[in-house]
């Protein structure tokens, strides 16, 4: 069982999640040398990102992750690194309305899912068979909520399959959203920075970049999809293992940064798929941290 937890003021942001063995010491007690000698055995586990990002607490049964075996005969373990980032959350049971509100600023959506990822949320009065599927995700939830709410002080979203489609028929679903409230001036300033391909350029206030997460690949079929054939957009579990390390090494602690979204920089995690670079980051000053996100389309 894997369990992550953040306080009431933070949500989970998975930085890396792997399955395999990279050390001969970890999880080695009582194991023969032949089962712990291979330390070049590791694969990414994207389902952990998908299941846990944006939640205050997340528990996963490793037996249900269906992770491929990267090295037969080696005794393996899961390694997950995550941070807790300040964010607001909203959970709305099916048929209800979710209300997002920022008292001093504008909404920036972090995560959104219409489905079910645990058996407890929105379970009161529901039969057991409607709560069993905890791997239920709507593919268009993040895109729809982001377009509906980003930049607004208040936002209302209806939790229904008529909007989000039905990702798991027969399961009682809910809409879970995590979001940031960005002050008006900061959001406008960052928007102008994005046009210049720089993250944080608040030199007079000493603001620098802090990378929370990054992926070069594809996690949905709508982003960077204009003019692309369906065959290049259908694979939505495409993750480059070195994304976070590469972006952090080039941008962490700097006031501005520009990265080419290209196979030559990140390698090709899924041949034939049209990829993009996703970065979640903060502009960190001495007293405050504002979180935003950015997408770069691949350049051919």
């Amino acid at each position: 069982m894997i369990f992550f937890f953040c306080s009431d003021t933070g949500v989970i942001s998975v930085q890396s999640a792997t399955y395999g063995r990279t050390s001969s010491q970890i999880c080695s007690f009582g194991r023969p040398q032949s089962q712990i000698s291979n330390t070049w055995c590791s694969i990414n586990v994207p389902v952990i990102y998908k299941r846990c990002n944006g939640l205050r607490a997340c528990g996963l049964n490793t037996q249900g992750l269906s992770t491929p075996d990267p090295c037969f005969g080696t005794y393996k373990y899961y390694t997950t690194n995550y941070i807790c980032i300040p964010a607001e959350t909203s959970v709305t049971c099916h048929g209800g309305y979710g209300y997002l509100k920022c008292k001093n600023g504008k909404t920036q959506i972090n995560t959104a899912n219409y489905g079910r990822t645990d058996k407890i949320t929105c379970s009161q009065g529901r039969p057991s068979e409607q709560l069993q599927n905890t791997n239920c995700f709507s593919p268009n939830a993040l895109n729809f909520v982001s377009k509906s709410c980003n930049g607004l002080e208040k936002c209302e979203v209806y939790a229904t399959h008529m909007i989000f489609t039905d990702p798991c028929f027969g399961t009682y679903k809910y809409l879970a959203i995590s979001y940031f409230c960005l002050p008006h001036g900061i959001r406008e300033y960052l928007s102008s920075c994005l046009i210049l391909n720089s993250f944080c350029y608040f030199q007079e206030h000493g603001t620098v970049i802090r990378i929370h997460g990054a992926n070069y690949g594809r996690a949905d079929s709508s982003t960077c999809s204009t003019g692309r054939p369906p065959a290049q957009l259908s694979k939505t579990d495409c993750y480059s293992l070195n994304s976070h390390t590469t972006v952090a090494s080039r941008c962490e602690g700097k006031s501005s940064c520009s990265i080419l979204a290209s196979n030559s920089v990140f390698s090709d995690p899924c041949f034939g798929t049209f990829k993009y670079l996703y970065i979640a980051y903060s502009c960190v000053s001495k007293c405050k941290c504002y979180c935003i996100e950015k997408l770069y389309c691949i350049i051919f």
Side-chain angles (χ1 to χ4, degrees):
M1 186 75 176
I2 304 174
F3 187 76
F4 313 130
F5 175 78
C6 289
S7 67
D8 291 340
T9 58
V11 297
I12 297 166
S13 176
V14 177
Q15 306 295 286
S16 63
T18 60
Y19 176 64
R21 176 168 289 277
T22 57
S23 167
S24 60
Q25 303 300 316
I26 299 174
C27 294
S28 61
F29 183 76
R31 295 288 164 179
Q33 185 65 26
S34 60
Q35 292 185 0
I36 61 175
S37 59
N38 182 3
T39 57
W40 292 90
C41 165
S42 181
I43 60 171
N44 197 32
V45 189
V47 68
I48 295 180
Y49 297 79
K50 188 176 182 180
R51 294 279 295 271
C52 296
N53 277 350
L55 302 180
R56 298 207 186 280
C58 180
L60 298 174
N61 186 342
T62 56
Q63 294 181 348
L65 294 180
S66 301
T67 309
D69 190 341
C71 45
F72 183 77
T74 295
Y75 188 67
K76 295 165 282 289
Y77 52 85
Y78 287 88
T79 303
T80 304
N81 296 310
Y82 74 101
I83 61 174
C84 297
I85 56 177
E88 305 293 332
T89 59
S90 170
V91 177
T92 307
C93 300
H94 171 77
Y97 285 88
Y99 299 94
L100 313 185
K101 183 178 181 181
C102 290
K103 294 182 179 179
N104 298 301
K106 297 181 180 180
T107 303
Q108 178 73 26
I109 301 300
N110 178 42
T111 60
N113 180 53
Y114 175 72
R116 177 166 290 277
T117 59
D118 65 65
K119 298 179 182 180
I120 305 300
T121 305
C122 292
S123 61
Q124 186 173 2
R126 293 290 159 180
S128 177
E129 60 268 21
Q130 293 185 1
L131 310 173
Q132 296 306 307
N133 185 356
T134 58
N135 189 31
C136 175
F137 297 87
S138 176
N140 68 331
L142 179 58
N143 184 53
F144 178 84
V145 176
S146 296
K147 288 183 177 179
S148 301
C149 298
N150 277 352
L152 302 180
E153 294 180 355
K154 298 179 182 179
C155 182
E156 179 180 284
V157 186
Y158 186 30
T160 173
H161 61 268
M162 292 185 291
I163 294 177
F164 297 103
T165 70
D166 192 341
C168 45
F169 183 78
T171 294
Y172 188 68
K173 293 165 280 289
Y174 54 87
L175 176 62
I177 302 171
S178 68
Y179 64 100
F180 309 113
C181 291
L182 301 182
H184 299 279
I186 295 296
R187 181 176 174 80
E188 292 168 1
Y189 183 81
L190 291 176
S191 294
S192 67
C193 281
L194 298 185
I195 298 173
L196 300 173
N197 285 331
S198 58
F199 295 156
C200 310
Y201 209 71
F202 247 159
Q203 289 185 334
E204 66 272 23
H205 293 151
T207 306
V208 295
I209 298 163
R210 179 182 178 186
I211 302 298
H212 293 302
N215 180 55
Y216 174 70
R218 178 166 290 278
D220 63 66
S221 58
S222 58
T223 304
C224 294
S225 60
T226 303
R228 294 289 159 180
Q232 293 185 0
L233 309 173
S234 59
K235 185 173 178 58
T236 56
D237 59 347
C238 174
Y239 298 86
S240 177
L241 290 176
N242 67 338
S243 298
H244 183 269
T245 302
T246 300
V247 174
S249 66
R250 299 189 181 199
C251 299
E252 192 83 21
K254 297 181 180 180
S255 61
S256 62
C257 181
S258 181
I259 303 178
L260 179 66
S262 169
N263 293 340
S264 63
V265 176
F266 296 96
S267 73
D268 191 345
C270 45
F271 181 77
T273 294
F274 189 66
K275 294 165 281 290
Y276 55 86
L277 175 60
Y278 166 86
I279 302 173
Y281 65 97
S282 304
C283 293
V284 184
S285 65
K286 293 181 180 180
C287 57
K288 292 184 179 180
C289 170
Y290 301 110
C291 298
I292 64 172
E293 58 185 27
K294 183 175 181 181
L295 295 166
Y296 295 84
C297 291
I298 183 174
I299 300 175
F300 275 0

